[in-house]
Amino acid sequence: MENNNVKKMHMICNAHIDPIWQWDWPEGVSATLSTFYTAAKLCDEFDYIFCHNEVTVYKYVEEYAPELFAKIQELVKAGKWHIMGGWYLQPDCNMPCGESFVRQIREGERYFKEKFGVKPTTAINLDPFGHTVGLVQIVKKCGQDSYLFVRPFKYEMTLPCEQFIWRGLDGSEIKATRMCSYGSGLGKSAKVIRDRANIQDFKVGAILWGVGNHGGGPSRKDLADIKEQILPDTEVKYVHSTPENFFAEITPTEAVEHSLRISMPGCYTSMYRVKKLHAQLENEISMAEKIASVAYGKGLLKDYPENEIRVAVEDLLNAEFHDVLPGTSVQCGEDAGLRYLNHGMLEAERVKIKAYFALSKEQKPANNGEFPVVVFNPHPYELCDNVECEFTLADQNWSQETSSCIKIVDCDGNTVPYQIVKEDSNLNLDWRKRIIFEARLKPMELARYSVYVDFVPAEQAKREEAFVFENGRKHVEIDKATGLLTSYKIDGVEYIGKDFGLCLFDDNADPWGMSREQLKRMGTNERKFSSSQKPSGVFEGMKTVQVVENGEIYLGIEAFFECDSTRARILYKIYKNNDDIDIDVNLYMGDINKIVKLKLPITVSGNLIGQTAFGTDTLFCDGRENVAHRFVAVDSENGCVALLNKDVYGSHYENNCLYMSLARGVTYCAHPIGERELIPLDRFTKKIDQGESNYSFRLTVTKRDLLERKAQEFVQRPYALNIFPVASDVADSKSLDVSIGGDIISMPTVKKMCDKDALIFRLLNNTPNSVDSYIKVSGKFLNLTFGKYEVKTVVYENGSLVESYELLI
């Protein structure tokens, strides 16, 4: 008879393989092939189960060792080899957006179903440096019910219990367990297993074991020792097992309702170039899918570019690996990430442009003298926004006696407010023009604006100097001497203090930020950048502060700063037709073991919140480093004071000041080990993120319910291009109007369903309140009620709209 008082331990054999880390991907291939070959061979000799996840490494085996791949398929069928996790790879679990996580899960699911006929129900992310609470709803709606992780360690974050219910922002729940480690030393597994069993107080527990890091998995000695020393134990029942079998036997009762952070917070900032390009590619794929979906739905794009988009998506997913996106690899890992992301950007851009020109087939050819600017609104609601576009005059105007003068009208012939600003080119010739104008755009449609050019007698260009803007509602001041923002008022309420500016902090060479001190605060010894009284180097010849643009749309002021060997430029765009101020920072990092932050003093009080995957996180206000996506905001009684961004993740908040983390002058893969020297001092070691980096922020005040939309509108601007449409027969084109109800719900994703002739619409309520809305597609309505922080999927197929209760791709 079985003794019910005996503790049961599930032994989960695995191999931790980083495809890229201290090595480039070809070495990752080698480690994978060696590990899988050994594991498969030992499956024939021992009665155990080998568990491994990640599409990436299975693809290596499929391509480079097809016979081994076939053997693994047989072992999976026999139950000797278990596909665990089932994601594309183990990504960073803080910085990807919600749709990226859906892709990680669903692309993995597609592969493992096709190749092995299985779908794991336990998500496995053992090595990432923290996990957003936004994952719970995503994991649940993708059909997984449990989550296994290692970090944050116990010293980084206290949990009520190591086995717990993880509750998402929307109320979704999954089982979760924190493991102390994912591996064991070569030949030491039997002792490690017994030691880990002894420290667990649970009736049913789990132990991860296997040689690592950099592959290895089971060894013959370890398996023999387990058979002889562990399995005969009568006080503890040990079984070779899988994550699914373990979670099926536990019933945790303690609940955790927040993100699992923080762990190694330097990862939120290190290797900024990868992070910036990652954010850009997420956005570019979304934009490409939206335009392609509309063009395909209207019948103007004959074949939806599914394969091309999948290539870009796989590039994105590979770059999200938890030692690439966080910036903890050697330089070849950074290079690989940038190659993936740049290739993905090219593929996504090609899709976007092809779809844009397909949509433009409905446009009439240009009238005589007309320069058409055709604008696509990627949002499912009417939008009034400032749109920028460049165009080329019909011929170069070499005359110094005349200059071009333009007029812009909408489709009804109404004159549109605009401003000519500096074009990208530096040819001192009247030829290229860059305009910014106020556009009113219908949901997810093209709008046409017409530019007409005349030539008038040339006049000396005059730019009015102004460092204060006031329109009765909005008041902004830039200090003429220092170039610092000193006042930002809306309706008479002051929202910023007097200590705005860039700051330099002492840091160290460790890209992870592993020290206990860094868990409390990233950077010490704050020092303000000073105004460059005589800008030098790349800024040579500039004034300390100067007005660069001043027209109907915005007032542009730039200022130059320096601290130690680092130089910076800040460009303010103070819009005259809305409440926003854009703040662009050009940083030239020249210091090591330092971190640069942009400091924003905030005069109102409230909760500090930040965007996360399909949700909003409550952030630390005690100096600890936060991670958030496209907005960080103080939610006050007067509204949210928000700093939107296009590519920054790390920040901290203390003493009513928000500090956005811009760059860390750290060393590639400088990993603290005990009291040993962090980096060798007998030679030069390469540093990360030296030189130029560029950042885009938007300071705004808005209602809490509008924050998600404001952020999306900032990062996903209407796409405008000067084109001359070609006459085309579009008699067979169909109507496809898309819109959503209310002013709260956003639509981060529109795309064709994979392998099916249907469109998917992803809708998000990123607020803590229930919201009623609707979606309309081609005259069909579907009423929707959203719970707090709920993401929904709606499918448009055969002329009908249906809500799906899972997250589809």
Side-chain angles (χ1 to χ4, degrees):
M1 180 179 293
E2 186 175 350
N3 184 354
N4 290 328
N5 292 321
V6 173
K7 188 161 61 173
K8 184 174 182 179
M9 286 291 135
H10 290 258
M11 299 182 296
I12 301 171
C13 179
N14 75 112
H16 185 74
I17 301 175
D18 289 324
I20 297 174
W21 181 32
Q22 297 179 74
W23 42 81
D24 206 347
W25 71 270
E27 190 174 333
V29 173
S30 176
T32 299
L33 299 182
S34 174
T35 298
F36 279 24
Y37 174 78
T38 300
K41 187 175 181 180
L42 292 174
C43 280
D44 293 332
E45 300 180 32
F46 292 89
D47 183 19
Y48 86 107
I49 304 170
F50 181 67
C51 304
H52 202 86
N53 56 328
E54 299 181 330
V55 169
T56 304
V57 294
Y58 282 92
K59 280 189 171 184
Y60 290 160
V61 181
E62 184 180 15
E63 181 172 1
Y64 300 117
E67 292 180 358
L68 175 58
F69 191 78
K71 171 67 173 177
I72 293 171
Q73 289 176 315
E74 294 175 3
L75 291 170
V76 170
K77 289 180 181 179
K80 298 279 290 176
W81 189 296
H82 181 72
I83 307 294
M84 71 174 184
W87 291 24
Y88 194 85
L89 46 73
Q90 289 188 53
D92 173 83
C93 290
N94 293 309
M95 290 175 279
C97 70
E99 195 63 33
S100 287
F101 283 121
V102 174
R103 298 182 200 273
Q104 286 283 355
I105 299 171
R106 291 306 194 190
E107 291 296 338
E109 176 186 317
R110 179 211 307 280
Y111 180 84
F112 287 121
K113 272 188 175 180
E114 177 186 340
K115 303 298 181 180
F116 299 95
V118 299
K119 179 187 175 182
T121 58
T122 297
I124 305 289
N125 282 309
L126 306 178
D127 211 23
F129 316 115
H131 313 259
T132 172
V133 69
L135 274 169
V136 180
Q137 179 178 194
I138 296 168
V139 168
K140 184 82 170 182
K141 289 184 175 177
C142 285
Q144 296 189 302
D145 58 17
S146 42
Y147 197 79
L148 201 64
F149 69 102
V150 171
R151 297 189 178 95
F153 297 122
K154 286 186 178 181
Y155 78 88
E156 295 174 308
M157 184 191 68
T158 300
L159 289 170
C161 185
E162 301 301 287
Q163 297 178 5
F164 59 94
I165 297 294
W166 197 12
R167 187 171 296 138
L169 295 166
D170 69 322
S172 298
E173 294 182 349
I174 58 176
K175 298 177 185 179
T177 294
R178 176 167 64 183
M179 311 298 290
C180 63
S181 179
Y182 47 69
S184 53
L186 178 62
K188 301 175 182 178
S189 296
K191 182 180 185 307
V192 168
I193 289 169
R194 181 170 284 118
D195 290 345
R196 290 178 184 169
N198 289 338
I199 62 174
Q200 294 195 43
D201 297 328
F202 306 110
K203 185 71 176 177
V204 177
I207 300 162
L208 293 168
W209 74 275
V211 180
N213 193 347
H214 202 23
S219 73
R220 184 173 283 102
K221 181 181 187 308
D222 287 317
L223 284 168
D225 288 347
I226 290 169
K227 182 177 180 180
E228 295 172 5
Q229 302 172 29
I230 297 297
L231 293 179
D233 197 310
T234 58
E235 296 183 3
V236 179
K237 182 180 180 181
Y238 293 94
V239 294
H240 289 295
S241 191
T242 68
E244 282 78 3
N245 289 341
F246 160 64
F247 277 106
E249 293 190 12
I250 67 170
T251 54
T253 57
E254 299 280 358
V256 172
E257 298 184 346
H258 52 74
S259 295
L260 307 178
R261 300 195 185 109
I262 57 177
S263 178
M264 305 182 187
C267 295
Y268 309 156
T269 304
S270 298
M271 216 170 276
Y272 164 75
R273 292 178 182 87
V274 172
K275 291 174 170 61
K276 180 182 179 73
L277 202 51
H278 166 260
Q280 289 177 335
L281 181 54
E282 283 186 326
N283 185 65
E284 190 73 1
I285 290 173
S286 172
M287 188 71 154
E289 288 177 326
K290 287 179 179 180
I291 302 183
S293 296
V294 173
Y296 178 74
K298 291 172 71 69
L300 297 169
L301 190 63
K302 183 178 179 182
D303 297 312
Y304 186 84
E306 196 163 338
N307 291 332
E308 293 89 337
I309 289 174
R310 182 166 294 166
V311 168
V313 167
E314 290 187 355
D315 286 333
L316 175 71
L317 301 184
N318 278 306
E320 288 176 342
F321 181 65
H322 62 262
D323 280 313
V324 175
L325 183 54
T328 55
S329 69
V330 291
Q331 190 172 23
C332 64
E334 178 187 38
D335 292 341
L338 293 173
R339 285 197 299 271
Y340 277 127
L341 293 166
N342 277 304
H343 181 259
M345 284 291 292
L346 179 61
E347 291 296 317
E349 185 180 39
R350 284 172 169 166
V351 169
K352 179 181 72 176
I353 299 305
K354 183 177 181 180
Y356 172 85
F357 277 103
L359 271 182
S360 299
K361 290 177 183 177
E362 293 184 319
Q363 298 291 315
K364 296 179 181 179
N367 297 318
N368 187 34
E370 179 194 10
F371 294 80
V373 175
V374 181
V375 188
F376 178 76
N377 174 14
H379 305 290
Y381 48 83
E382 289 191 1
L383 181 68
C384 180
D385 201 357
N386 295 319
V387 173
E388 290 192 52
C389 182
E390 285 203 13
F391 68 97
T392 302
L393 299 182
D395 198 3
Q396 305 97 313
N397 175 28
W398 289 88
S399 171
Q400 293 184 328
E401 307 301 320
T402 63
S403 63
S404 56
C405 175
I406 74 170
K407 176 183 178 181
I408 305 178
V409 297
D410 63 19
C411 61
D412 296 320
N414 301 311
T415 301
V416 174
Y418 77 94
Q419 181 175 338
I420 296 178
V421 297
K422 174 69 173 67
E423 68 277 10
D424 284 342
S425 173
N426 290 304
L427 270 66
N428 190 6
L429 183 65
D430 190 13
W431 188 12
R432 287 288 287 175
K433 294 294 177 184
R434 186 173 187 86
I435 53 175
I436 180 169
F437 62 95
E438 186 177 271
R440 296 185 179 276
L441 308 169
K442 293 181 180 180
M444 302 198 77
E445 290 187 11
L446 291 183
R448 179 165 173 161
Y449 288 82
S450 301
V451 178
Y452 293 93
V453 179
D454 197 1
F455 291 91
V456 297
E459 295 182 3
Q460 183 69 29
K462 295 180 181 180
R463 188 184 305 134
E464 181 184 352
E465 288 236 329
F467 296 90
V468 177
F469 173 76
E470 171 67 57
N471 67 0
R473 170 176 168 81
K474 175 180 175 182
H475 177 90
V476 180
E477 293 183 24
I478 307 295
D479 188 294
K480 186 175 182 180
T482 66
L484 295 175
L485 176 65
T486 58
S487 180
Y488 174 55
K489 296 179 184 178
I490 302 294
D491 289 333
V493 178
E494 180 63 76
Y495 287 99
I496 72 160
K498 302 293 184 181
D499 202 20
F500 172 88
L502 292 165
C503 303
L504 188 71
F505 293 81
D506 292 337
D507 198 354
N508 65 14
D510 166 19
W512 285 268
M514 293 188 187
S515 74
R516 293 178 185 266
E517 290 76 18
Q518 288 168 312
L519 285 175
K520 298 176 183 177
R521 193 174 187 272
M522 287 295 301
T524 59
N525 188 27
E526 175 183 344
R527 289 182 292 145
K528 288 287 296 288
F529 277 61
S530 60
S531 297
S532 298
Q533 295 306 306
K534 189 176 181 181
S536 59
V538 69
F539 300 133
E540 186 173 350
M542 298 294 100
K543 297 179 182 178
T544 302
V545 186
Q546 54 194 6
V547 174
V548 294
E549 305 288 354
N550 196 357
E552 285 194 62
I553 306 299
Y554 75 86
L555 168 63
I557 301 171
E558 69 179 4
F560 301 91
F561 305 91
E562 59 188 48
C563 188
D564 293 353
S565 298
T566 298
R567 302 291 181 266
R569 166 188 180 254
I570 294 180
L571 171 65
Y572 306 95
K573 294 180 181 178
I574 304 166
Y575 292 101
K576 300 181 178 182
N577 54 0
N578 60 42
D579 292 342
D580 304 335
I581 305 174
D582 283 357
I583 302 171
D584 296 341
V585 179
N586 310 114
L587 185 72
Y588 288 80
M589 188 75 171
D591 292 289
I592 64 170
N593 304 333
K594 307 288 183 183
I595 181 170
V596 177
K597 299 198 172 207
L598 178 66
K599 181 179 182 180
L600 179 68
I602 297 177
T603 59
V604 297
S605 299
N607 294 324
L608 184 69
I609 56 177
Q611 187 190 50
T612 191
F614 289 152
T616 297
D617 239 345
T618 300
L619 305 180
F620 303 121
C621 295
D622 57 3
R624 282 181 286 177
E625 196 78 355
N626 290 304
V627 57
H629 296 175
R630 307 284 68 87
F631 65 73
V632 178
V634 174
D635 186 9
S636 74
E637 292 182 356
N638 293 319
C640 278
V641 187
L643 194 62
L644 315 179
N645 77 86
K646 292 184 177 180
D647 39 39
V648 172
Y649 294 93
S651 68
H652 83 268
Y653 193 86
E654 60 181 341
N655 301 323
N656 299 316
C657 292
L658 173 63
Y659 294 81
M660 301 300 298
S661 302
L662 304 187
R664 300 182 66 219
V666 295
T667 302
Y668 288 101
C669 212
H671 193 302
I673 299 177
E675 299 300 319
R676 299 179 186 181
E677 189 175 65
L678 184 57
I679 56 172
L681 299 178
D682 60 340
R683 68 200 68 206
F684 170 72
T685 53
K686 292 183 179 180
K687 313 301 177 185
I688 302 175
D689 288 340
Q690 296 295 297
E692 181 181 5
S693 52
N694 302 298
Y695 308 84
S696 298
F697 297 96
R698 172 166 290 174
L699 177 60
T700 192
V701 176
T702 187
K703 294 179 181 179
R704 167 66 182 84
D705 290 351
L706 303 182
L707 193 52
E708 177 71 21
R709 281 195 178 185
K710 289 282 286 186
Q712 282 206 20
E713 290 165 14
F714 180 54
V715 300
Q716 195 162 96
R717 307 298 302 276
Y719 183 71
L721 195 64
N722 165 222
I723 64 170
F724 294 89
V726 177
S728 178
D729 182 9
V730 292
D732 296 332
S733 67
K734 298 174 285 187
S735 172
L736 185 76
D737 60 295
V738 179
S739 61
I740 58 177
D743 56 3
I744 296 175
I745 302 302
S746 62
M747 186 183 286
T749 305
V750 182
K751 57 186 175 182
K752 178 183 170 294
M753 186 186 297
C754 291
D755 308 320
K756 199 170 185 180
D757 192 15
L759 294 179
I760 290 174
F761 300 88
R762 199 90 71 211
L763 305 168
L764 174 63
N765 170 28
N766 197 1
T767 77
N769 305 307
S770 296
V771 176
D772 291 327
S773 184
Y774 67 81
I775 180 172
K776 177 186 174 186
V777 180
S778 296
K780 302 293 183 180
F781 282 84
L782 180 64
N783 290 315
L784 298 166
T785 297
F786 291 79
K788 62 178 183 179
Y789 298 112
E790 184 177 7
V791 60
K792 288 181 179 288
T793 300
V794 173
V795 179
Y796 180 67
E797 184 177 15
N798 297 325
S800 64
L801 284 171
V802 179
E803 180 180 351
S804 170
Y805 294 94
E806 56 181 326
L807 298 176
L808 303 170
I809 59 169

